[in-house]
Amino acid sequence: MKKYSGFSLFKHSLSHHENWQAAWRSPQPKKEYDVIIVGGGGHGLATAYYLAKVHGITNVAVLEKGYLGGGNTARNTTIVRSNYLWDEASKLYDHSLDLWKDLSQDLNYNVMFSQRGVLNLGHNLQDMRDIERRVNANRLNGIDGVVLNTAEVKEIVPIINDSQDIRYPVLGASWQATGGVARHDAVAWGFARGADSFGVDLIQQCEVLDIVTEEGAVVGVKTNQGFIGAKKVACVTAGNSGVMAAMVGLRLPIESRPLQALVSEPIKPIIDTVVMSNAVHAYVSQSDKGDLVIGAGTDSYNGYGQRGSFNIVEHTMSAICELFPMFSRVRMNRAWGGIVDTCPDACPIISKTSVKGLFFNCGWGTGGFKATPGSGNVFAHTLAHDEAHPLAAPFSIDRFSTGHLIDEHGAAGVAH
Amino acid sequence: MTNVDTSTSMESPLHHRVAHTNAANAGVVMKEDKFRGQLNLRGNPQDAAFTSAVEKVLGVALPMAPSSSVRNGDTVVYWLCPNEWLLIVASGTQGQVEADLRSAMDGQHIAVTDISSGQTLVNLSGTGVAELMQKSTVYDCHDSNFPVGKVVQTTFAKTGTTMCKLEDGSYDLVIRRSFSDYFFLWLQDASDEYGLSVS
Amino acid sequence: MIRINCPYCGEREHSEFTYGEDATRTTPDNDAPMEEWNKFVYERDNPAGEHIEYWHHAFGCRAWLKVQRNTITHDISWVGLPHENPEAAS
Amino acid sequence: MSGFRHGAGRLGDAQLNFTFDGKPMLARAGDTVASALLANGVEVVGRSFKYHRPRGVTSSGPEEAGALVTIGAGGKADPNARATMEPVTQGLEVFSQNCFPSPKFDLMSVNGLAGAILPGSLFSAGFYYKTFMWPAALWYKFYEPSIRAAAGMGVPPKVADPDIYDRIQMFCDVAVVGGGSAGLSAALSASQSGLRVVIFDEHNDLGGQLLNEANSDQNADLEQWRKDTIAALEAADNVTVLARAVCWGRFDGNMLAAHQSVDGKVRQNYIKVQAKKIIIAAGAIERPLVFGNNDKPNVMLASAARRMLNHYGTATGKMLAVFTNNDSAYQTAFDYSDAGIKVSAVVDSRQYPSEALVDGCMSRGITLHTQAVVTEAKGWQAVRSIEIADLAANGQSVSNRRRVACDVLAHSGGWTPQVQMAAHGGKPPIYDKTIAAFVVGDQAPDTYSVGAAEGENGLLAGVAQALEAAKAACAELGGTAGAVTAPPQDRDGATNIVPLWSVPAKGKQLVDIQHDVTAADVVQSHSEGFVSVEHLKRYTTLGMANDQGRTSNVNALAIMAECRGVSIAEAGTTRFRAPIAPVSMGGFAGREIGKHFKPVRRTPMQEWHEKAGAVFVQAGMYMRPQYYPQAGETIDDAYERETEHVRKKVGICDVTSLGKIEIVGPDAAEFLDRVYINMFSTLKVGKARYGVMLREDGIVYDDGTTSRFAEDRFFMTTTTAKAGPVMAYLERCLEIDWPELKVRVSSVSERWGAMAVAGPDARATLTAAFPSVDFSNEAFPFMGVVHAEHNGAKLVILRISFSGEMAYEVYATSEHATDIWQTVVDAGQAYDIVPYGLETLGALRIEKGHVTGAELDGRVTLGDVHMDGMASKKKWFVGKNLKQREGMVHPDRPQLVGLKSVDPRTPISTGSILVTEANATAGADKQGWVSSMTYSPELGSFIALGFLRGGKDRIGERIYAAYPVKGKNVEVEVVSNHFVDPTNDRVKG
């Protein structure tokens, strides 16, 4: 792998940038791999990267039916934070946040991770009580966080509407300074380039048509490029997990729904942190390019159409204009929908299944992007050792039958 | 109009808004038809005993066609669902009507619920109403889709309503009591460019 | 916007309705084993394609409806009452 | 300066004044900002996104990627406005963007210089990802801030937008998108069927390409046809003509969305049109050619240069050159020449243009260069000359470079049909070789794509398609489209294009001139493996600017296809998504902001509370009294006073917001037995009982009191938050799960105003208020229900208590509720009755250990709140099966406990975490949390309710309520949650 640097960029500029090598190979699938990862999104590519880097397992294929990072990795609002309520969740997301910190250097790929801080606004007394409880719990988990009052929020976001006689006045917020955003596409590309450099085969336009099992154990997958063997198959197919599970007759506690987001035209810097409000369903930050990146809610009904009900966007726009009345003249430039797999307790499933050698990493709902490195990291461990990484253990699929649920509604909300 | 009970002890949901200063030649005119008796009636439309009993009490047959209504002086009946109707009767008579219905249908599996004080009847008329409706409801109010006498349950801004179009092209809207103030505030804004008059 | 043809009220915009849930689940007997109840409460087919589901006409006649909708195209091929079923239910 | 006024075009004579960067300028009524700026000789109107290269007007429509300006100032500042779409109004202020100090001299243009000095730019595709990584710290300190400062385009307003927006819902039978010759014809024809028709056009003047035509005598009949057709549409009362309305998206169920600019009280209407049939006549957009410095001001689309002259009476230059690979651009040269403006050259990359065109040039003395290309536009800031060269037969190289003078270069790379709206219907467009562009082909249901939007550029042929579509659409709707007169002249649509995707010569060849994406960037992303069109888009940001790639996508795809050695069809397009043009957020919000963001529901007694000086707090959609402060009281003073008073004497509280449901029918009792965990069939008529509901998964759903009015008639109350959901849930159970039950439910929440009257003097107060009712313990015992009437009001009085005191809930018909409330208050004067709010309600119930939403947060089991005993063993009920799961009954689950400050005056903050060690720090073993707290006047101590791991068996233990956020750490004693009157004597007294 040729190293990227300011110098290499300069050097290539002398040759009209005509000699850059490909970021990754485009190999033909082998007959058999040690591990097949289904899904070339951020989580799948991160899993492959850590399998190779941490566990030395490099005979790995990532099968992507479209193009790398083309699913939810390409369709989210890129928010990274770890201030969840319950220990299980906050520890997992914080593990991820730790990995984010040096990810650009680790991958030799600038994922533009930017710790500009995340505000979760509170609009009524119960909001504030929940925020205080959550931040207190975070602090006792070693996660940074403070509770701000209206004036302190206004200091961080001077343009926010701090009037107290609006319908949902800003009473305060939780503030995680170490949270932030990243360049979502670059995360997938960086992990892809990294995994490829360890010899992992990234196979695009390769759709898995069936998961093949013998005596209750996985032996490989049937794809549009033929059969590919593997004793371990890991499904990391957000937005398609139910469909994958059905291939082996499994049914998951998951429903798939569109989650919408949109960006404005590029404007000069006006908001340099992430502002989230579960109560009014609005999430906004400004990208380095200058776009306002705005997240809306999920549809109330199942959908796989990568486009959602427009009422949701209308509601979010009202909320944005309520919080930031000057944005009403700013224009929406692009809007899209991603398909999120949501579990009843708003927590993911990182788990073995009743089928030997078949693993699932899914159900991240609206919050999967922030978990990308952590998810890949603990899932790689789970695949390598055939048993759950300690941080992944609570997210086993068994929790639904035992009743040991981790209800992150509220903390997760429709948070991105 | 109906014989409104002027007893000072009663307050209509919009009583605090009638003092609103009226715009000259307003494009939207709102009238609250206060204190009308309103009953929710549930029963089996296939049951002749039921339908005839109701007809005896009300003096009109229950409307059976979806989204239809019947009128007889102060008595109006809205079809809400195949087994549900809204009876709007003269102010103060709802108690008697309820009692009569109960005795007329004794032993039948029906439900009569007095909801008079829970909602109010508002009439919207004027040259601006058509546009106002386009801003306020997701229902197509064009005569070709919403003829006179039709009853439509739908959304109005961010609350719900049951509305009926009258001969004069105006609309009767049933509005829930706790939302009626919001309804008014919305009306005030949405009819800004036409001018609003309230009585 | 999705429009649902309510058998009582006619075709209406979906903002008049609230989504209920998957209508293909069958409730276990009251004394069925817990495993069965677990599957019933949590597991879903969650198909990409034809889906039979309940909707509540909350801002209309308040009837609960059974709807066959394609979850990819959002095309609605059938609407009925809770105890009816589409002929071509797939 | 090169542009100037030349002729009248179609504009009025009225003169308007406007300013550009403060400089006063003149315009005519009907000018766009773009035409006016050109007429005033302005060439450079802004700077580009990445390299800050000079930018000028490049088009005359929505595809404008060069002339982005800020219109207006202060709260009305409108950044990134497309100069070609903004009409000039008297006094309009226009500002250049993305340049400092001025568009002509911009300091940031060093970005561009770096590009100019080095053969290839430092800011090549994906450059962000390859650098700025060392040292890591600098990313935050320096690199990223610099990138942010340089990026972005217009400066957004910092103060609130003062304007109003409306959301409008329309319905029609036939919607026509586009008001050109095809759209106008389709709309008029359809309207004659009597069906409802809506037609959109984003321009102020309808007519589409007709407006490019010279407004001359030989075109008089054509112009008249345009005017007559528009007039006929405006006269028809079944037609809605929406000008200045950009139709930007098509959604499920044939819904079209548009933003319309209007003058008056409202700035914009966000219009949703529910159509039965959709005719898309959105026209086509001219494509630029890709050659050196093709982004330089005064390089402009040929059709735009033509419209500027013929419609806006603005000559774009004093000497015009034309560069084309197809026929359509020749007319621009001819019109300029005929208007007496010098045309120095027509450069055609094709070998054999048609004879007619050759003659046209010769007769006008225009030099025609065939099999030739423009290799580079020259000039410091705007075009002053061009370098042209001969193109090798194989198209791979050039020779014989030479200079041609000109101050405006009009170019045409062919035409791109506007397929976006049709594509939103779900069908991917297909590539049509003959016009070298994508067309819709396979139409989506109920959709007809016609005219130039479907690749038919011929005037009469396009109109014919439109009329066919109108006929078919009306027929399917049972109508008959009318016959309309066709345009009196034709225009040949054949462009005879020979594709030229990029000129084979070095130099900065822009593909996306707004995002500064060059042909080299496309080639580079190919060599780096970003070959899928979606990767190309994301890696280079091509087509992501606010022109939505309208002018750049096809060129880029073609270049990528060449690199990959596949056909353009194979390379495919990116997915088309709404909006096709940027639209204001304010439009979506409409008026649903401020007090309309979410309704405030009011109880009948709302005014009374307001007059009494109550402080209000959100409770669901209601604003409920939080407390009633007396002079100088803090919230704590007030609720402590109110609480103490209720315990000692009597108070009254508005509880109207509770949900109220009537449940009627022979099976009503059986129904309740199924939805509640406890038994209701055994409830006696005239009695009330507290009930709890579970979700199917065994989690506590809601609680409330249900009374039996008659054998077959119950009255249920729910919590405020669950009023709606429980009603829908009960309906669901009856219609879906248990249709065999003969039960009918109706919501009576709005019918009853409700008030709680609590305290030792409650009985005396109510006895005085309602003499007709016997409130004696014998006649009206605890959990008793009494019906009464008072002064015309119907009353239901329940003897139930949430406060632990002797208490009653009085339900009065809403229209009488305030009168009844006042009656009770008057009667209570003898006992100094006080109104109390939610704070006191909370204090009282906490002292009593009752749970509310703060505890029942959708996560707790019956065991967690010690209600397992209530669950009937004799019957099945919803949630019974799964509440038994091991994890739901685990002894280590956090369970409800009371907490008492060891130091009575130290508050226990809600949201504290329960730990066993003092001064807990990171890593502490969290054993629970505090859900609600209050000061208890009766106990003279701060107390709280909380959940503690295995709490049931930990009474008496001393632990800590940690609140690291404020560095607080309070020692508390674990006690029973029943602080006050645990034996419940008071309520029965």
Side-chain angles (χ1 to χ4, degrees), chain D residues 376-633:
Chain D
E376 192 179 0
K378 303 264 185 196
W380 168 236
Q381 284 191 317
V383 176
R384 291 295 176 259
S385 71
I386 51 175
E387 181 190 75
I388 70 172
D390 297 335
L391 182 65
N394 65 5
Q396 296 307 307
S397 65
V398 297
S399 59
N400 182 24
R401 294 168 185 253
R402 52 213 192 261
R403 284 284 187 110
V404 172
C406 68
D407 63 0
V408 55
L409 174 62
H411 61 148
S412 175
W415 292 82
T416 305
Q418 294 301 283
V419 299
Q420 305 97 315
M421 295 294 297
H424 292 168
K427 300 274 191 336
I430 56 171
Y431 188 71
D432 178 345
K433 272 200 170 58
T434 57
I435 60 165
F438 286 88
V439 296
V440 175
D442 186 6
Q443 301 281 356
D446 306 316
T447 312
Y448 309 81
S449 178
V450 300
E454 188 55 10
E456 178 48 73
N457 289 328
L459 175 51
L460 292 180
V463 167
Q465 277 187 353
L467 295 177
E468 271 311 304
K471 191 169 157 206
C474 293
E476 285 190 38
L477 299 173
T480 313
V484 301
T485 50
Q489 302 184 27
D490 193 10
R491 292 290 183 271
D492 180 9
T495 59
N496 302 307
I497 183 172
V498 177
L500 173 73
W501 299 119
S502 66
V503 168
K506 295 259 182 276
K508 211 174 250 323
Q509 306 186 338
L510 276 289
V511 177
D512 181 329
I513 78 164
Q514 194 180 129
H515 269 174
D516 286 334
V517 181
T518 64
D521 289 327
V522 178
V523 174
Q524 182 194 336
S525 44
H526 170 263
S527 55
E528 292 192 65
F530 294 88
V531 297
S532 97
V533 288
E534 291 287 352
H535 272 163
L536 171 64
K537 168 179 156 193
R538 294 166 180 284
Y539 196 56
T540 63
T541 74
L542 177 132
M544 288 175 136
N546 63 358
D547 65 337
Q548 315 284 2
R550 282 198 221 200
T551 54
S552 57
N553 277 350
V554 176
N555 286 334
L557 295 177
I559 295 168
M560 176 57 80
E562 260 171 27
C563 294
R564 291 174 59 189
V566 300
S567 71
I568 293 172
E570 208 177 316
T573 65
T574 57
R575 182 166 179 167
F576 290 94
R577 293 181 183 280
I580 69 168
V583 284
S584 76
M585 300 197 195
F588 295 108
R591 296 188 194 243
E592 298 197 347
I593 52 175
K595 58 182 175 300
H596 304 312
F597 183 70
K598 194 171 194 187
V600 172
R601 298 177 65 180
R602 289 168 63 93
T603 79
M605 284 81 85
Q606 204 84 12
E607 277 176 287
W608 194 98
H609 306 316
E610 286 160 359
K611 293 197 188 102
V615 173
F616 292 88
V617 61
Q618 286 179 41
M621 284 171 98
Y622 286 90
M623 295 296 284
R624 294 182 63 182
Q626 186 181 10
Y627 59 101
Y628 299 78
Q630 292 178 354
E633 272 187 337

Side-chain angles (χ1 to χ4, degrees), chain C residues 1-3 11 13 18 21 25 27 29-34 37-38 40-42 44 54 56 62-65 73-74 82-83, chain D residues 169 171 251-255 272 274 696-697 724 727-729 731-739 876 881-886:
Chain C
M1 298 293 125
I2 293 182
R3 294 177 71 78
E11 185 182 284
E13 217 246 74
T18 52
E21 59 177 352
R25 311 183 306 150
T27 319
D29 300 341
N30 294 351
D31 52 7
M34 191 177 297
W37 275 95
N38 257 310
F40 166 71
V41 170
Y42 291 110
R44 298 287 184 275
Y54 292 119
H56 185 219
R62 293 197 67 82
W64 278 88
L65 306 175
T73 64
H74 294 316
H83 296 281
Chain D
Q169 176 76 57
F171 296 82
F251 296 89
D252 300 314
N254 295 350
M255 190 200 90
K272 284 183 283 184
Q274 193 65 53
E696 275 173 344
D697 64 2
M727 179 66 192
Y729 166 66
E731 289 171 324
R732 191 217 111 98
C733 293
L734 288 171
E735 288 182 48
I736 296 175
D737 300 335
W738 311 313
W876 178 88
N881 309 71
L882 291 196
K883 82 181 180 64
Q884 305 302 347
R885 283 177 294 171
E886 176 260 335

Side-chain angles (χ1 to χ4, degrees), chain A residues 235-253:
Chain A
C235 296
V236 199
T237 55
N240 247 322
S241 309
V243 178
M244 295 300 299
M247 292 177 180
V248 288
L250 289 178
R251 293 167 85 241
L252 299 172

